Amino acid sequence: MAANTLEAMRALMAPRSVAVVGATERADASSGFVMRNLMHFGYQGQIIPVHSKAETVFGYKAVSSLSALDDAPDVAVIGINADKVIGALEEAGQTGVKAAVVLASGFAELDEAGRERQRQLIDIAERYGMAICGPNCLGLFNLGSGAALYSSSLSTNLQRGRFAILSHSGASTIALSNTGRFGLSHIVSSGNSAATDIPDYLDFLAADEATNAIGIVIEAIREPEKLAQAMERMHAAGKPVIALRAGRSERGAQATAAHTGSLAGSNEAYHSFFKRVGIIEVPDMDSFMETATLCLSLGRRPTKPGVAIVGVSGGGVAHVSDIADEAGLTLPGLQPETTAKIKTLLPPFATPQNPLDTTGVVFANGDIYRDVLHTLADDPSIRFIVAAQDAPAGLDDFCASEYLGIAQAVSDYAGTGKAPVVFMSNLSSGHHWAVEEKLPNVPVLRGTRSALAAIAGLIAQSNTVSWPGKAAMERKPLSAGALTEREAKTLLASEGLPVPKERLVTSADAAAKAAKTLGFPVAMKIESPDILHKTEAGGVKLGIGSEAEACAAFDAIMASARAYAPDADLRGVSVQEMVMGGVEALVGIVRHEPFGLGLVVGIGGVLVELVNDSAFDLLPIDPARAEAMIGETKLASLLEGYRGAPKADRKALAELLVKLSDFAARYGDDIEAIDLNPVAVLPEGEGVRILDTLIIPRNKA
């Protein structure tokens, strides 16, 4: 992808002159929409229609070609068919044009000819240092300057504001820019984003004085390192970024032979990346709207996670608390001095707790509501307050007036309170207009689930980037070809990971001798690079307690494996030290491009997919993150000694996660996935043992 200079991005996003290639007055033509939009929204820069025959377009003097101009315009909007685009772009580059908007479809989204066309577009962008919006896009609109380089109708209801929308999807651009909930600084529908993508736009907006927050609708991340660098600049500028990712379903996800792949799909990789770079991820458009509203109107970010919920109904605040728990919000208990003060403010039948039902007394006296908010804010555990108050839009004006005192109390508090407050309707239809009018200085949110998800996302957002890209470790190549379990364990052991002792044997007599040497009981497993899941092949025998059993087990394993896979390369049987007891965990590595490798930990054993309990993060993993990942799973409860079982060695498991992360950093170029299942987590102080290992080499073809 082409490197976009700030000069080229300025020419694209804030052009002083615009040439419209293929300009026409035809009502259905994309270039016609662009011409009308520029005129309608009062663009004050130079407008240059480019048409091979027409003398004027909409009254503007036309030129026959870009090369006929004495001075190159800042941006060329290419409004012609796909098969003519490359020639027009080449001419633009030769003329000195620094930016372009390519509206036409018929590029990489279509067929091989389109993909070749897109490769040529990228080449032109790189050779001439051009920023290019598109192809296959609606274009962009700078609401401040009126530069409406946009090939569809633009609503006259669009309000100028401080929120920018960047979207790969044209339909999403239209929907989110016309919510009426917030004003906009820029709208960008970037389509294929072949040469200029989300990170380039973020780089420009980080320094844009007209923009305070950005929302992105993203279909794919091509260059995570570049996006991470852009987010560093966004954080430095104090501008939050919200992301809605399209195409999150796992239907098209590529499966691997490892259990790890079934536990951690691309959703987990994207989620991990967004968290690491400090992007607030939202699940749907409603959450997008509420998060945008919150980011734009909240004066102060919460410094701690403690949230208080206040309402006028016990059932109402209980409902909000249910959704808050699902959203991951923390509702701490109140300090004794806080409950004592609340008792003096509310009637004797009120219960001073979090969530708090103020009772109906606040309808008659809004000052009580305000004083309750101040009291909650004085509690050291409370750093954010949700005033959950329904005043439905369908109320008549008289009924709505009953809520005005509460709204005024929240507004009065917001000007002086120690903790930020939001005014939330449980209904996505929102509040009566008269109630919202009383809250010019308070974020007004709509819909319980969307609003609380927005709050949770903002509280959890990091203001730093912890995405190191490729870890700076010595790289080592992996041996060519598939590894057997024994070979994989030998490799892991060479890097300091704990595995049981074992011996490879090729006869029943040798199996008996190896078992006796290792000490009974032992485990015996088929040795074959062609059989990944040995249990299914009848290739595993556990608890072998004598030499006679070892002989019989060898013959049975070889026969079962041969019947299961007649053409498999059977190299013998591995006789292994039998590790008894402990908690079974799964630890694994899985690849998710473009991010690379990530690590999975969860409950292990044969029921991995059924239990479906795991935590995932992209590499590298440090000790603190390893410990936190274990804590995110039900495995943590088992390790603590579930139902009288001895406490397991959680510390050793965390150390194993870090060691595996380091191992993957060294050998990762050659690894598709690693499956350590089960890992026996022994009683506290006795460590861990990797009982079964699968390393899937990467196919680099």
Side-chain angles (χ1 to χ4, degrees):
M1 190 169 295
N4 291 272
T5 66
L6 287 179
E7 177 190 2
M9 290 303 298
R10 195 274 313 155
L12 179 65
M13 297 289 284
R16 292 164 296 200
S17 54
V18 177
V20 182
V21 178
T24 178
E25 296 182 14
R26 276 178 39 218
D28 62 340
S30 61
S31 58
F33 275 105
V34 174
M35 290 293 296
R36 289 190 296 275
N37 284 332
L38 287 168
M39 293 185 293
H40 183 78
F41 287 96
Y43 176 63
Q44 296 300 304
Q46 185 182 12
I47 301 174
I48 308 164
V50 179
H51 194 285
S52 60
K53 296 177 182 178
E55 294 185 2
T56 63
V57 179
F58 289 113
Y60 290 91
K61 182 180 178 181
V63 297
S64 59
S65 65
L66 289 171
S67 57
L69 293 169
D70 293 330
D71 297 310
D74 274 353
V75 63
V77 180
I78 312 296
I80 55 181
N81 291 338
D83 60 346
K84 297 181 175 64
V85 164
I86 298 304
L89 275 178
E90 183 68 42
E91 182 183 13
Q94 291 176 357
T95 306
V97 177
K98 285 300 179 186
V101 179
V102 178
L103 303 172
S105 57
F107 287 80
E109 80 285 354
L110 184 62
D111 53 22
E112 182 53 41
R115 286 187 283 275
E116 174 57 30
R117 203 173 286 131
Q118 185 155 308
R119 285 190 286 269
Q120 293 176 30
L121 181 150
I122 295 170
D123 176 66
I124 290 170
E126 291 175 341
R127 282 192 284 114
Y128 294 108
M130 295 176 69
I132 300 178
C133 179
N136 186 33
C137 71
L138 291 177
L140 54 88
F141 182 20
N142 180 328
L143 279 79
S145 70
L149 316 181
Y150 198 82
S151 62
S152 184
S153 299
L154 285 165
S155 172
T156 56
N157 292 332
L158 287 172
Q159 295 295 312
R160 185 177 174 183
R162 307 191 70 81
F163 189 73
I165 294 176
L166 313 174
S167 176
H168 287 149
S169 162
S172 298
T173 306
I174 294 170
L176 292 170
S177 62
N178 288 282
T179 65
R181 294 290 301 283
F182 36 77
L184 300 163
S185 61
H186 301 269
I187 302 169
V188 179
S189 166
S190 61
N192 292 7
S193 301
T196 302
D197 204 354
I198 298 295
D200 303 297
Y201 295 108
L202 290 178
D203 278 342
F204 172 83
L205 293 170
D208 180 48
E209 294 181 358
T211 303
N212 286 356
I214 298 92
I216 62 177
V217 180
I218 195 164
E219 294 176 359
I221 294 174
R222 300 178 181 91
E223 298 175 293
E225 290 83 2
K226 192 173 179 180
L227 182 51
Q229 291 165 5
M231 283 306 302
E232 288 179 343
R233 288 182 274 275
M234 295 303 298
H235 292 314
K239 300 181 181 183
V241 176
I242 305 157
L244 172 63
R245 186 168 74 89
R248 297 193 305 272
S249 72
E250 292 298 313
R251 185 175 299 174
Q254 184 177 16
T256 72
H259 293 299
T260 308
S262 66
L263 291 179
S266 60
N267 281 342
E268 287 78 12
Y270 271 90
H271 179 70
S272 174
F273 177 77
F274 285 143
K275 186 175 181 180
R276 285 202 171 203
V277 300
I279 291 175
I280 303 170
E281 186 180 10
V282 297
D284 51 46
M285 289 191 179
D286 285 336
S287 300
F288 188 103
M289 284 192 296
E290 302 317 310
T291 307
T293 300
L294 186 61
C295 288
L296 288 167
S297 55
L298 189 67
R300 291 170 295 152
R301 293 280 301 276
T303 57
K304 290 184 180 180
V307 175
I309 294 171
V310 187
V312 296
S313 159
V317 295
H319 165 69
V320 176
S321 299
D322 291 342
I323 308 301
D325 183 66
E326 294 172 12
L329 288 172
T330 301
L331 307 183
L334 303 177
Q335 297 295 315
E337 54 269 29
T338 305
T339 58
K341 179 68 180 295
I342 289 174
K343 284 182 179 179
T344 67
L345 294 172
L346 298 179
F349 53 83
T351 303
Q353 62 183 11
N354 183 22
L356 178 62
D357 169 15
T358 63
T359 76
V361 68
V362 295
F363 283 103
N365 186 349
D367 290 346
I368 295 176
Y369 200 103
R370 180 200 60 211
D371 292 343
V372 165
L373 295 178
H374 279 294
T375 302
L376 289 170
D378 286 337
D379 191 301
S381 63
I382 303 300
R383 287 297 175 266
F384 197 95
I385 302 175
V386 178
Q389 182 59 66
D390 290 322
L395 292 173
D396 62 30
D397 292 348
F398 174 77
C399 291
S401 68
E402 297 179 356
Y403 299 90
L404 298 182
I406 293 174
Q408 187 62 57
V410 175
S411 180
D412 291 344
Y413 163 81
T416 57
K418 292 181 180 178
V421 63
V422 299
F423 198 80
M424 185 191 78
S425 168
N426 288 297
L427 305 172
S428 59
S429 54
H431 306 86
H432 189 277
W433 65 268
V435 174
E436 292 199 2
E437 246 187 12
K438 287 283 186 181
L439 299 157
N441 60 335
V442 179
V444 178
L445 304 181
R446 302 175 183 176
T448 315
R449 191 173 300 278
S450 299
L452 296 180
I455 294 166
L458 189 65
I459 290 175
Q461 183 210 15
S462 170
N463 286 321
T464 59
V465 172
S466 59
W467 174 251
K470 291 186 176 180
M473 296 188 71
E474 178 189 357
R475 298 279 167 161
K476 295 183 178 181
L478 197 64
S479 300
L483 298 174
T484 65
E485 179 193 343
R486 184 184 56 82
E487 291 169 338
K489 283 181 179 176
T490 300
L491 178 60
L492 293 175
S494 71
E495 297 290 340
L497 282 83
V499 300
K501 298 174 183 177
E502 61 183 296
R503 304 279 177 84
L504 176 63
V505 298
T506 56
S507 68
D509 287 343
K513 292 178 182 178
K516 182 178 180 181
T517 301
L518 290 173
F520 297 108
V522 295
M524 296 176 62
K525 302 178 183 179
I526 190 67
E527 173 92 353
S528 172
D530 301 322
I531 299 178
L532 299 180
H533 296 304
K534 295 176 286 294
T535 302
E536 296 174 6
V540 178
K541 300 290 183 183
L542 304 177
I544 304 300
S546 68
E547 293 180 65
E549 287 182 34
C551 287
F554 178 91
D555 292 335
I557 288 171
M558 292 295 290
S560 295
R562 180 61 69 202
Y564 176 82
D567 297 326
D569 177 12
L570 304 185
R571 300 179 181 177
V573 171
S574 175
V575 183
Q576 302 176 4
E577 172 190 8
M578 188 82 179
V579 177
M580 307 297 291
V583 174
E584 289 190 338
L586 174 139
V587 181
I589 297 290
V590 64
R591 180 176 296 278
H592 283 298
E593 298 299 358
F595 309 109
L597 297 171
L599 186 142
V600 180
V601 61
I603 293 175
V606 296
L607 301 179
V608 167
E609 285 88 357
L610 182 63
V611 176
N612 196 27
D613 170 73
S614 65
F616 173 87
D617 206 346
L618 295 170
L619 299 186
I621 302 297
D622 61 20
R625 183 59 189 136
E627 181 63 35
M629 288 177 69
I630 295 170
E632 293 169 11
T633 69
K634 296 183 181 70
L635 176 63
S637 297
L638 296 178
L639 297 175
E640 286 301 309
Y642 189 68
R643 292 194 172 183
K647 194 172 182 180
D649 203 333
R650 177 168 171 167
K651 180 181 178 182
L653 178 60
E655 291 172 352
L656 174 64
L657 300 190
V658 176
K659 287 181 179 179
L660 187 61
S661 173
D662 292 344
F663 175 87
R666 291 189 179 94
Y667 293 93
D669 287 346
D670 297 323
I671 290 173
E672 187 65 31
I674 299 175
D675 209 22
L676 311 184
N677 180 42
V679 172
V681 187
L682 302 175
E684 196 168 30
E686 296 182 23
V688 298
R689 296 291 188 280
I690 300 167
L691 303 187
D692 200 352
T693 303
L694 172 63
I695 296 179
I696 300 177
R698 184 182 183 189
N699 182 2
K700 298 181 181 180

